[in-house]
Amino acid sequence: MIIAENSLVSVYSDSMAFLLILGLTIIPRKRDAVDGTRERMFFAMCLLSMINALGSCVAYAVHGQSGSFFMSIELAAKTVLEVALLLMTYQWLMYVDYMLYRSRDQLARRYKYFFLPILILLVLLLVNLFTGVLFTIQPDMSYRSTWVYYVLMAVEYIYFALAFGIIYQYSAKHKHNQVFRITPIIIPVILGTLVNILTDYSASPLGFAIGLVLLYFSFIDSFRYDDEKSGYYNRSYLVGLVEGNEKGADAFCGAICFEASGDGAKELPEILRSELPAKSTIAHIDGGRYILLTRSRRMSDLGFIADMVEDAAEGKVSISTQCFTRGKDQSAAAFIKEAAGV
Amino acid sequence: MLWLSNINTGSVIMDIAAFFLLIGMMVNTRLYRQRGRIDDRIYFYLLVLNMVVAVFDTAIYFLDESPVQGKSLMLLGLESVFSILITLLPLLISLVLDYQWHRQEDRVFRLWKPMMVGVVYSVVIVVINWGTGLLYYTDARGVYTYAPAYPLVYVPTVIYTIYSLICGWNINKRLIAAYLILIAARLFLRAFLGDMSSTTFLYAVFLVYLHLQTMNEAFYEEEAQ
């Protein structure tokens, strides 16, 4: 079996994509003890990406070989890669939503209907093996796609774009440190897809693989400042403000510390989320202690906010609040250090 | 693509992919650089160096079949620089792994000078090549050709790699497994799938593994302390 040179490029590229994702899945890293859902969803995307790369690799390896045996293998491989890609775009959409809102109920509520087109297309992909309703491999070894195949592609692109729309909407609404660095992820995916569309070479599995690696790297980096449980900043962010590694400390002139004990510590983040503006700068110090940093230094403003939160918590959670204002000659770093106790 | 053969196009695609992967890693390891440890600094230099190597490799493949006048001299220059830079990559990897094993910054500062012997060796043989064509040359038709002695370029790389494997063995055996898988993949792909370049991409993949395996672990150990 001799592989044509242009197919060789694709086989090479898909093999590299497979190797890259393989490392991501088998190299041990800090286990996500807090959020197994996120870990499982990310692992599912990696697995689907590997299947996509493998299917593409096999399809290109046998492409152009004469004989019905090789044509059958090519058809099967292409079906496998399309199934993997379809499921990956759906998984990506749900992953983005979960990363931002951390609610499995919301996932079940919002996305059960989004699965319907996926299910129909999955059935069509299986039916395609026998009927050619999506694509066929002609006797001259070329692909022929029907209009239904473009519907499949449109669904994939729409789901992908929808995910980025959710990220953009969330970022515009919340001041909280961005969960994803979008650009490093989206550029390789788009470039890989463009190379696929414009040339005879396969590069989209490689683009997806690079995007997944950078996605993982982006939240390794943000681990430093993200509190996994609450979704707010963590203690390291406050330390970063105090030590000058993070900008923006000078803007803060007031602070309110909220403290809940026992089971109340789990409910406090939700109460804060419901009562305080979406763009508030809130950090989890430790245990049941959270701190809100404000631009206002007026004790009346801080007292108002503290009362509002205490009223919302009444009957549910026992919390205590303490307000701080920055002295006129006090540096931002010293103020945050005093208020948060870091 | 353009005037490039399929093999050269594939090489360019791999180099561009490596470049984007490295840029993304550089952006996303910013906070580790603020930690200021020597392995974080060397890791940053590795990312930058690998990107530079990818650019040179891309330029070589673009020039190889181009109709540009004077390309022989340009190719010789580019390949010379590439041969020296590609020796620095395994050197820096071995220094990072040495620190991961011994956790002594002084040791790294003491080690790097004697270890530069490999780089000096690369410079010497490259200079010798200019006059003799010992390693590579362009023939009468302007085709870039490797001489039988070209494997001499790999001598420092082999020595640095052996030292890295020894360090890795004492740090984490999975990292060694990953390193060996990548070396095997490189040899397999070269033997069975042609002369397509994958060196820069595979180095980039190893840097991904390295960060996930050793630097990421160390980061969380520090936080736990």
Side-chain angles (χ1 to χ4, degrees):
Chain A
M1 187 177 100
I2 297 170
I3 303 176
E5 261 197 8
N6 58 345
S7 294
L8 209 62
V9 173
S10 303
V11 169
Y12 222 89
S13 157
D14 294 335
S15 309
M16 292 295 158
F18 185 85
L19 266 178
L20 187 54
I21 299 292
L22 185 68
L24 201 60
T25 51
I26 67 172
I27 299 258
R29 53 200 180 276
K30 181 183 179 186
R31 285 289 160 215
D32 196 331
V34 176
D35 198 341
T37 302
R38 198 271 306 277
E39 174 94 355
R40 280 194 299 273
M41 290 172 89
F42 184 79
F43 181 77
M45 281 200 297
C46 289
L47 199 60
L48 290 168
S49 180
M50 282 167 63
I51 294 170
N52 176 250
L54 202 57
S56 179
C57 190
V58 170
Y60 275 97
V62 299
H63 181 66
Q65 309 295 327
S66 58
S68 57
F69 174 69
F70 288 112
M71 282 171 65
S72 303
I73 292 186
E74 191 178 348
L75 186 65
K78 189 148 165 65
T79 302
V80 164
L81 82 89
E82 292 291 351
V83 166
L85 189 56
L86 196 58
L87 289 172
M88 201 162 70
T89 51
Y90 178 69
Q91 184 70 30
W92 165 244
L93 181 60
M94 290 208 302
Y95 179 81
V96 162
D97 190 282
Y98 183 78
M99 281 294 287
L100 297 174
Y101 297 103
R102 310 288 170 107
S103 168
R104 290 171 67 170
D105 290 335
Q106 179 164 294
L107 281 183
R109 208 172 50 243
R110 273 188 185 180
Y111 297 105
K112 58 185 174 191
Y113 299 112
F114 279 83
F115 191 66
L116 215 50
I118 302 288
L119 191 59
I120 294 169
L121 289 167
L122 284 173
V123 169
L124 284 176
L125 276 166
L126 289 174
V127 166
N128 181 72
L129 287 168
F130 308 102
T131 62
V133 63
L134 285 160
F135 53 83
T136 51
I137 299 168
Q138 303 297 302
D140 64 353
M141 315 303 169
S142 62
Y143 283 119
R144 185 162 297 167
S145 310
T146 66
W147 65 270
V148 186
Y149 183 71
Y150 294 105
V151 170
L152 180 147
M153 284 174 66
V155 166
E156 286 168 356
Y157 290 139
I158 287 169
Y159 280 29
F160 221 73
L162 208 56
F164 285 106
I166 294 172
I167 294 172
Y168 178 75
Q169 187 189 41
Y170 184 91
S171 300
K173 199 178 163 191
H174 294 85
K175 189 182 181 288
H176 178 58
N177 191 28
Q178 59 189 16
V179 180
F180 302 97
R181 289 200 178 90
I182 299 170
T183 314
I185 301 165
I186 197 172
I187 286 180
V189 172
I190 289 177
L191 281 178
T193 308
L194 280 175
V195 170
N196 250 52
I197 292 170
L198 299 174
T199 70
D200 290 333
Y201 308 119
S202 166
S204 64
L206 188 59
F208 286 127
I210 294 174
L212 277 173
V213 168
L214 296 183
L215 172 63
Y216 188 75
F217 267 70
S218 81
F219 59 72
I220 283 178
D221 204 30
S222 71
F223 269 165
R224 192 83 163 113
Y225 288 164
D226 269 5
D227 180 57
E228 284 281 321
K229 283 183 186 170
S230 64
Y232 291 127
Y233 289 115
N234 62 11
R235 189 186 179 85
S236 294
Y237 173 71
L238 295 170
V239 172
L241 284 177
V242 167
E243 292 179 356
N245 292 331
E246 268 306 304
K247 297 170 194 171
D250 284 336
F252 300 121
C253 301
I256 308 173
C257 270
F258 303 93
E259 184 167 3
S261 54
D263 289 339
K266 290 179 196 168
E267 294 186 41
L268 182 54
E270 280 312 308
I271 293 171
L272 294 175
R273 197 167 276 117
S274 65
E275 295 303 313
L276 300 176
K279 294 191 177 188
S280 303
T281 303
I282 303 172
H284 179 212
I285 306 170
D286 55 43
R289 288 201 307 148
Y290 291 79
I291 187 169
L292 164 72
L293 297 172
T294 70
R295 283 168 168 68
S296 170
R297 64 169 77 235
R298 291 198 302 191
M299 217 24 126
S300 54
D301 290 344
L302 300 179
F304 177 79
I305 294 170
D307 288 342
M308 193 172 65
V309 172
E310 281 175 353
D311 288 344
E314 199 173 322
K316 298 176 203 168
V317 174
S318 168
I319 66 168
S320 60
T321 58
Q322 196 176 1
C323 301
F324 300 86
T325 56
R326 182 170 146 197
K328 281 184 183 169
D329 297 323
Q330 192 178 26
S331 71
F335 164 64
I336 293 169
K337 196 171 179 179
E338 180 199 334
V342 293
Chain B
M1 185 166 95
L2 301 172
W3 59 83
L4 297 176
S5 64
N6 285 307
I7 296 294
N8 284 7
T9 302
S11 302
V12 167
I13 288 173
M14 296 312 308
D15 286 331
I16 292 173
F19 192 82
F20 275 105
L21 181 58
L22 292 162
I23 284 187
M25 284 158 65
M26 191 177 296
V27 167
N28 288 305
T29 53
R30 176 182 64 95
L31 287 172
Y32 284 86
R33 286 196 288 284
Q34 287 174 5
R35 188 164 59 176
R37 271 183 9 200
I38 191 160
D39 55 345
D40 296 313
R41 293 204 300 268
I42 298 175
Y43 190 82
F44 172 70
Y45 301 146
L46 270 167
L47 293 176
V48 173
L49 180 63
N50 206 358
M51 283 163 62
V52 171
V53 167
V55 168
F56 271 87
D57 203 32
T58 306
I60 287 168
Y61 280 102
F62 264 112
L63 263 182
D64 189 29
E65 293 168 70
S66 76
V68 168
Q69 293 290 335
K71 78 169 187 185
S72 302
L73 209 56
M74 281 194 274
L75 269 176
L76 186 64
L78 285 172
E79 184 70 51
S80 300
V81 175
F82 178 84
S83 301
I84 297 165
L85 291 179
I86 204 77
T87 312
L88 281 169
L89 279 171
L91 164 63
L92 291 179
I93 287 174
S94 59
L95 288 175
V96 167
L97 292 177
D98 184 270
Y99 178 78
Q100 293 283 328
W101 177 16
H102 293 102
R103 298 286 178 173
Q104 292 173 26
E105 203 165 300
D106 293 343
R107 186 185 156 89
V108 173
F109 284 117
R110 281 198 312 271
L111 260 184
W112 79 268
K113 283 176 188 166
M115 286 180 87
M116 282 293 282
V117 163
V119 178
V120 171
Y121 164 89
S122 293
V123 172
V124 166
I125 60 168
V126 160
V127 169
I128 290 171
N129 180 70
W130 289 346
T132 62
L134 171 74
L135 304 173
Y136 40 78
Y137 55 89
T138 46
D139 63 17
R141 293 169 299 153
V143 175
Y144 188 80
T145 309
Y146 291 117
Y150 184 75
L152 285 175
V153 164
Y154 295 117
V155 169
T157 299
V158 169
I159 295 171
Y160 292 141
T161 302
I162 291 171
Y163 185 67
S164 297
L165 289 171
I166 294 170
C167 293
W169 183 263
N170 288 282
I171 299 167
N172 191 305
K173 291 173 179 54
R174 278 184 191 247
L175 189 65
I176 296 306
Y179 208 168
L180 291 172
I181 286 171
L182 291 178
I183 293 171
R186 176 73 179 101
L187 296 172
F188 174 83
L189 289 168
R190 195 177 180 104
F192 292 98
L193 295 181
D195 287 333
M196 212 169 315
S197 168
S198 56
T199 306
T200 49
F201 188 81
L202 287 172
Y203 270 120
V205 172
F206 181 72
L207 291 179
V208 170
Y209 292 177
L210 181 64
H211 190 80
L212 291 179
Q213 182 58 51
T214 64
M215 304 178 74
N216 196 18
E217 290 282 358
F219 179 86
Y220 286 110
E221 280 167 18
E222 276 188 0
E223 276 215 331
Q225 285 163 14

mmCIF file of all heavy atoms in Angstrom, chain B residues 113-137:
data_model
loop_
_atom_site.group_PDB
_atom_site.id
_atom_site.type_symbol
_atom_site.label_atom_id
_atom_site.label_comp_id
_atom_site.label_asym_id
_atom_site.label_seq_id
_atom_site.Cartn_x
_atom_site.Cartn_y
_atom_site.Cartn_z
ATOM 1 N N LYS B 113 28.017 26.083 31.916
ATOM 2 C CA LYS B 113 29.244 26.422 31.166
ATOM 3 C C LYS B 113 29.903 25.186 30.566
ATOM 4 O O LYS B 113 30.165 25.144 29.367
ATOM 5 C CB LYS B 113 30.203 27.203 32.053
ATOM 6 C CG LYS B 113 29.779 28.646 32.209
ATOM 7 C CD LYS B 113 30.678 29.399 33.159
ATOM 8 C CE LYS B 113 30.088 30.770 33.428
ATOM 9 N NZ LYS B 113 30.712 31.432 34.574
ATOM 10 N N PRO B 114 30.186 24.150 31.352
ATOM 11 C CA PRO B 114 30.774 22.952 30.725
ATOM 12 C C PRO B 114 29.840 22.311 29.702
ATOM 13 O O PRO B 114 30.293 21.759 28.707
ATOM 14 C CB PRO B 114 31.032 22.001 31.896
ATOM 15 C CG PRO B 114 30.310 22.560 33.058
ATOM 16 C CD PRO B 114 30.099 24.007 32.812
ATOM 17 N N MET B 115 28.542 22.421 29.926
ATOM 18 C CA MET B 115 27.606 21.795 28.985
ATOM 19 C C MET B 115 27.551 22.543 27.652
ATOM 20 O O MET B 115 27.071 22.002 26.658
ATOM 21 C CB MET B 115 26.212 21.708 29.610
ATOM 22 C CG MET B 115 26.121 20.620 30.683
ATOM 23 S SD MET B 115 24.494 20.499 31.425
ATOM 24 C CE MET B 115 23.689 19.399 30.292
ATOM 25 N N MET B 116 28.034 23.749 27.627
ATOM 26 C CA MET B 116 28.059 24.521 26.372
ATOM 27 C C MET B 116 29.056 23.930 25.378
ATOM 28 O O MET B 116 29.093 24.352 24.218
ATOM 29 C CB MET B 116 28.424 25.980 26.658
ATOM 30 C CG MET B 116 27.277 26.800 27.218
ATOM 31 S SD MET B 116 25.962 27.036 26.010
ATOM 32 C CE MET B 116 26.657 28.326 24.976
ATOM 33 N N VAL B 117 29.842 22.958 25.823
ATOM 34 C CA VAL B 117 30.813 22.310 24.920
ATOM 35 C C VAL B 117 30.101 21.770 23.677
ATOM 36 O O VAL B 117 30.619 21.878 22.555
ATOM 37 C CB VAL B 117 31.549 21.162 25.668
ATOM 38 C CG1 VAL B 117 32.239 20.224 24.694
ATOM 39 C CG2 VAL B 117 32.547 21.742 26.658
ATOM 40 N N GLY B 118 28.921 21.206 23.881
ATOM 41 C CA GLY B 118 28.174 20.666 22.749
ATOM 42 C C GLY B 118 27.823 21.735 21.729
ATOM 43 O O GLY B 118 27.863 21.504 20.518
ATOM 44 N N VAL B 119 27.475 22.913 22.217
ATOM 45 C CA VAL B 119 27.111 24.020 21.316
ATOM 46 C C VAL B 119 28.358 24.505 20.583
ATOM 47 O O VAL B 119 28.317 24.786 19.377
ATOM 48 C CB VAL B 119 26.467 25.169 22.120
ATOM 49 C CG1 VAL B 119 26.135 26.332 21.209
ATOM 50 C CG2 VAL B 119 25.218 24.684 22.838
ATOM 51 N N VAL B 120 29.480 24.554 21.305
ATOM 52 C CA VAL B 120 30.754 24.967 20.679
ATOM 53 C C VAL B 120 31.122 23.981 19.575
ATOM 54 O O VAL B 120 31.541 24.374 18.482
ATOM 55 C CB VAL B 120 31.880 25.052 21.738
ATOM 56 C CG1 VAL B 120 33.223 25.246 21.074
ATOM 57 C CG2 VAL B 120 31.581 26.169 22.731
ATOM 58 N N TYR B 121 30.923 22.701 19.877
ATOM 59 C CA TYR B 121 31.175 21.642 18.878
ATOM 60 C C TYR B 121 30.325 21.908 17.626
ATOM 61 O O TYR B 121 30.813 21.811 16.500
ATOM 62 C CB TYR B 121 30.832 20.288 19.497
ATOM 63 C CG TYR B 121 30.660 19.152 18.528
ATOM 64 C CD1 TYR B 121 31.736 18.352 18.131
ATOM 65 C CD2 TYR B 121 29.405 18.843 18.006
ATOM 66 C CE1 TYR B 121 31.573 17.305 17.245
ATOM 67 C CE2 TYR B 121 29.229 17.801 17.120
ATOM 68 C CZ TYR B 121 30.304 17.037 16.747
ATOM 69 O OH TYR B 121 30.128 15.992 15.863
ATOM 70 N N SER B 122 29.037 22.236 17.815
ATOM 71 C CA SER B 122 28.145 22.499 16.680
ATOM 72 C C SER B 122 28.659 23.666 15.856
ATOM 73 O O SER B 122 28.656 23.626 14.630
ATOM 74 C CB SER B 122 26.728 22.813 17.157
ATOM 75 O OG SER B 122 26.140 21.689 17.735
ATOM 76 N N VAL B 123 29.085 24.725 16.540
ATOM 77 C CA VAL B 123 29.603 25.907 15.823
ATOM 78 C C VAL B 123 30.822 25.516 14.992
ATOM 79 O O VAL B 123 30.948 25.896 13.819
ATOM 80 C CB VAL B 123 29.958 27.030 16.821
ATOM 81 C CG1 VAL B 123 30.677 28.169 16.119
ATOM 82 C CG2 VAL B 123 28.699 27.548 17.516
ATOM 83 N N VAL B 124 31.698 24.725 15.587
ATOM 84 C CA VAL B 124 32.957 24.334 14.901
ATOM 85 C C VAL B 124 32.650 23.524 13.644
ATOM 86 O O VAL B 124 33.195 23.804 12.565
ATOM 87 C CB VAL B 124 33.873 23.541 15.869
ATOM 88 C CG1 VAL B 124 34.993 22.845 15.114
ATOM 89 C CG2 VAL B 124 34.431 24.475 16.945
ATOM 90 N N ILE B 125 31.775 22.527 13.766
ATOM 91 C CA ILE B 125 31.532 21.685 12.579
ATOM 92 C C ILE B 125 30.755 22.445 11.504
ATOM 93 O O ILE B 125 30.905 22.187 10.310
ATOM 94 C CB ILE B 125 30.830 20.351 12.906
ATOM 95 C CG1 ILE B 125 29.469 20.528 13.558
ATOM 96 C CG2 ILE B 125 31.709 19.472 13.777
ATOM 97 C CD1 ILE B 125 28.677 19.236 13.597
ATOM 98 N N VAL B 126 29.931 23.400 11.938
ATOM 99 C CA VAL B 126 29.216 24.226 10.957
ATOM 100 C C VAL B 126 30.216 25.073 10.182
ATOM 101 O O VAL B 126 30.136 25.193 8.955
ATOM 102 C CB VAL B 126 28.158 25.100 11.661
ATOM 103 C CG1 VAL B 126 27.748 26.272 10.799
ATOM 104 C CG2 VAL B 126 26.928 24.268 12.012
ATOM 105 N N VAL B 127 31.174 25.640 10.895
ATOM 106 C CA VAL B 127 32.195 26.471 10.225
ATOM 107 C C VAL B 127 33.036 25.617 9.284
ATOM 108 O O VAL B 127 33.344 26.031 8.165
ATOM 109 C CB VAL B 127 33.074 27.182 11.277
ATOM 110 C CG1 VAL B 127 34.289 27.812 10.626
ATOM 111 C CG2 VAL B 127 32.259 28.241 12.022
ATOM 112 N N ILE B 128 33.373 24.417 9.739
ATOM 113 C CA ILE B 128 34.140 23.492 8.878
ATOM 114 C C ILE B 128 33.328 23.172 7.624
ATOM 115 O O ILE B 128 33.863 23.085 6.513
ATOM 116 C CB ILE B 128 34.497 22.191 9.637
ATOM 117 C CG1 ILE B 128 35.541 22.468 10.730
ATOM 118 C CG2 ILE B 128 35.004 21.108 8.685
ATOM 119 C CD1 ILE B 128 35.793 21.304 11.658
ATOM 120 N N ASN B 129 32.027 23.034 7.791
ATOM 121 C CA ASN B 129 31.149 22.696 6.663
ATOM 122 C C ASN B 129 31.169 23.757 5.577
ATOM 123 O O ASN B 129 31.040 23.449 4.392
ATOM 124 C CB ASN B 129 29.721 22.515 7.174
ATOM 125 C CG ASN B 129 28.762 22.153 6.061
ATOM 126 O OD1 ASN B 129 28.812 21.060 5.515
ATOM 127 N ND2 ASN B 129 27.907 23.093 5.692
ATOM 128 N N TRP B 130 31.314 25.020 5.980
ATOM 129 C CA TRP B 130 31.317 26.103 5.000
ATOM 130 C C TRP B 130 32.392 25.887 3.948
ATOM 131 O O TRP B 130 32.208 26.185 2.780
ATOM 132 C CB TRP B 130 31.544 27.464 5.685
ATOM 133 C CG TRP B 130 30.373 27.922 6.495
ATOM 134 C CD1 TRP B 130 29.109 27.432 6.477
ATOM 135 C CD2 TRP B 130 30.391 28.947 7.474
ATOM 136 N NE1 TRP B 130 28.330 28.098 7.383
ATOM 137 C CE2 TRP B 130 29.083 29.042 8.003
ATOM 138 C CE3 TRP B 130 31.379 29.821 7.951
ATOM 139 C CZ2 TRP B 130 28.744 29.968 8.993
ATOM 140 C CZ3 TRP B 130 31.031 30.739 8.936
ATOM 141 C CH2 TRP B 130 29.720 30.811 9.447
ATOM 142 N N GLY B 131 33.529 25.370 4.390
ATOM 143 C CA GLY B 131 34.640 25.221 3.447
ATOM 144 C C GLY B 131 34.683 23.864 2.779
ATOM 145 O O GLY B 131 35.302 23.697 1.728
ATOM 146 N N THR B 132 34.025 22.865 3.390
ATOM 147 C CA THR B 132 34.227 21.482 2.934
ATOM 148 C C THR B 132 32.948 20.786 2.475
ATOM 149 O O THR B 132 33.028 19.758 1.799
ATOM 150 C CB THR B 132 34.817 20.641 4.084
ATOM 151 O OG1 THR B 132 33.861 20.632 5.166
ATOM 152 C CG2 THR B 132 36.141 21.224 4.591
ATOM 153 N N GLY B 133 31.775 21.280 2.855
ATOM 154 C CA GLY B 133 30.524 20.571 2.534
ATOM 155 C C GLY B 133 30.429 19.256 3.290
ATOM 156 O O GLY B 133 29.781 18.317 2.844
ATOM 157 N N LEU B 134 31.056 19.206 4.442
ATOM 158 C CA LEU B 134 31.107 17.967 5.236
ATOM 159 C C LEU B 134 29.702 17.509 5.646
ATOM 160 O O LEU B 134 29.408 16.321 5.712
ATOM 161 C CB LEU B 134 31.964 18.234 6.494
ATOM 162 C CG LEU B 134 31.991 17.149 7.584
ATOM 163 C CD1 LEU B 134 32.828 15.974 7.113
ATOM 164 C CD2 LEU B 134 32.546 17.724 8.890
ATOM 165 N N LEU B 135 28.822 18.472 5.956
ATOM 166 C CA LEU B 135 27.489 18.125 6.507
ATOM 167 C C LEU B 135 26.382 18.262 5.456
ATOM 168 O O LEU B 135 25.536 17.395 5.316
ATOM 169 C CB LEU B 135 27.169 19.034 7.692
ATOM 170 C CG LEU B 135 28.186 19.050 8.830
ATOM 171 C CD1 LEU B 135 27.816 20.138 9.843
ATOM 172 C CD2 LEU B 135 28.252 17.692 9.511
ATOM 173 N N TYR B 136 26.381 19.372 4.738
ATOM 174 C CA TYR B 136 25.345 19.615 3.732
ATOM 175 C C TYR B 136 25.872 20.624 2.714
ATOM 176 O O TYR B 136 26.797 21.375 3.008
ATOM 177 C CB TYR B 136 24.042 20.130 4.369
ATOM 178 C CG TYR B 136 24.240 21.118 5.491
ATOM 179 C CD1 TYR B 136 24.550 22.452 5.247
ATOM 180 C CD2 TYR B 136 24.149 20.702 6.814
ATOM 181 C CE1 TYR B 136 24.744 23.343 6.276
ATOM 182 C CE2 TYR B 136 24.349 21.590 7.851
ATOM 183 C CZ TYR B 136 24.641 22.905 7.587
ATOM 184 O OH TYR B 136 24.851 23.783 8.612
ATOM 185 N N TYR B 137 25.261 20.599 1.531
ATOM 186 C CA TYR B 137 25.697 21.495 0.466
ATOM 187 C C TYR B 137 24.583 21.563 -0.553
ATOM 188 O O TYR B 137 23.634 20.781 -0.513
ATOM 189 C CB TYR B 137 27.006 20.977 -0.172
ATOM 190 C CG TYR B 137 26.899 19.559 -0.684
ATOM 191 C CD1 TYR B 137 26.478 19.292 -1.992
ATOM 192 C CD2 TYR B 137 27.196 18.468 0.137
ATOM 193 C CE1 TYR B 137 26.358 17.995 -2.458
ATOM 194 C CE2 TYR B 137 27.083 17.169 -0.326
ATOM 195 C CZ TYR B 137 26.677 16.941 -1.618
ATOM 196 O OH TYR B 137 26.565 15.644 -2.070
#
